[in-house]
Amino acid sequence: MKKRNDLQAAALLLTLILFSVMGEGCFFQSVEEREPLPELVWPSAPEKPRIRFINSLSRPEHLEIRPSAVDNFLNFFSGKAASSMIKPYGVETDALGRLYVVDTALKTVHVYDRGEIDYYTLNPEGAPFASPIDIAIDDQRGHVYVSDSEQKVIKIFQEGGKSYVGEIGKGTCERPTGLTINKKTSELLVVDTLSANILRYGLNDRKFRGAFGGDGTGEGRFRYPTNICAKEDGTILVSDSLNFRIQVFSPTGDFLGMFGSEGDRPGYFTRPRGVAVDSDENIYVVDGLFDNIQIFDSNGRVLMAFGNHGTGYGEFWLPAGIFIDKDDRIYVSDCYNKRVQIFQYLKKDEVQE
């Protein structure tokens, strides 16, 4: 028996060596090679560009993450081959540059680590996702939070999402969706779409600190809130979806203002979803029915928009989440196109006059 096992092990090793010598191509033949990426900017000439298209991602190879031939061989036969996105929603990067994308159809989170040339997924052992929606990353404490709207909890990970450590929100959340970290107050903010509230949890003790909002159309009230972000100074922005507006709150949840209303012109909304802020405090709002991203100044005055309906680069089909990293790279989950598109905000001093 031992001799037969030794022969099988030797045969496997020889096979791996042969595939390594042959190169990686044999395992990537099924990966569709895409055409060169176009040069796209908004607005178009003769105006000075402010947004540049960088990349479109639906699988690890689009970020030049290609496992070795041996890894591909083992993954292929173990059924762990990398999956393409199906229905991306929440998107965020961490301090090490890893990109996390919540896939609501696959019920997982894709993680793309260009530094380590690695791809993996978040799958909490013994507590699988039922309906993951959004993600928030606390770089200071090394925690990754993922909302699960069906299970009515927020799942917590560490070590880049590779280690599942538990959950919060049970008995408090009714339908948690959008998430953000408020560094100013050391809080995790959770949009509870069903109760129309914003829930607050301490990042150090993970205890519930209270809520603000409530159902309604008046100032500080919500109708089907979906997404949220917090600025560096702690100011909170909430997509108040069925009130067709963005509401602005102090770090402690006091109403400060709002902008937007229902309509089909610039500055108006039909289905506001993801919201984010760049380093110049411009506010970006994803509109799922406009299939574009509108940009406003810090006072809520519309500046420009980019994108339109379609399947090409720089076009969207029911976009949802958005995240802007410290280098002003803009990540947009292009839901029905099964991808995340990446753009660059061009600051005034980066544009050639």
Side-chain angles (χ1 to χ4, degrees), residues 137-150:
I137 300 171
D138 178 12
D139 285 309
Q140 182 178 345
R141 297 161 188 81
H143 291 144
V144 177
Y145 296 88
V146 182
S147 57
D148 192 311
S149 63
E150 185 175 323

Side-chain angles (χ1 to χ4, degrees), residues 106-117:
L106 289 177
K107 300 180 181 180
T108 191
V109 179
H110 305 272
V111 184
Y112 307 89
D113 187 343
R114 295 189 68 177
E116 297 295 328
I117 315 178

Side-chain angles (χ1 to χ4, degrees), residues 34-38 40 42 53 55-57 291 306-317 332 334 336-343:
R34 48 180 192 171
E35 69 277 12
L37 297 173
L40 299 173
W42 294 264
F53 170 77
N55 201 354
S56 175
L57 162 69
D291 288 319
F306 66 96
N308 51 58
H309 178 74
T311 60
Y313 295 126
E315 298 177 333
F316 301 101
W317 188 4
V332 182
D334 189 7
Y336 276 23
N337 280 325
K338 303 179 181 181
R339 65 190 178 185
V340 167
Q341 296 202 67
I342 307 173
F343 304 84

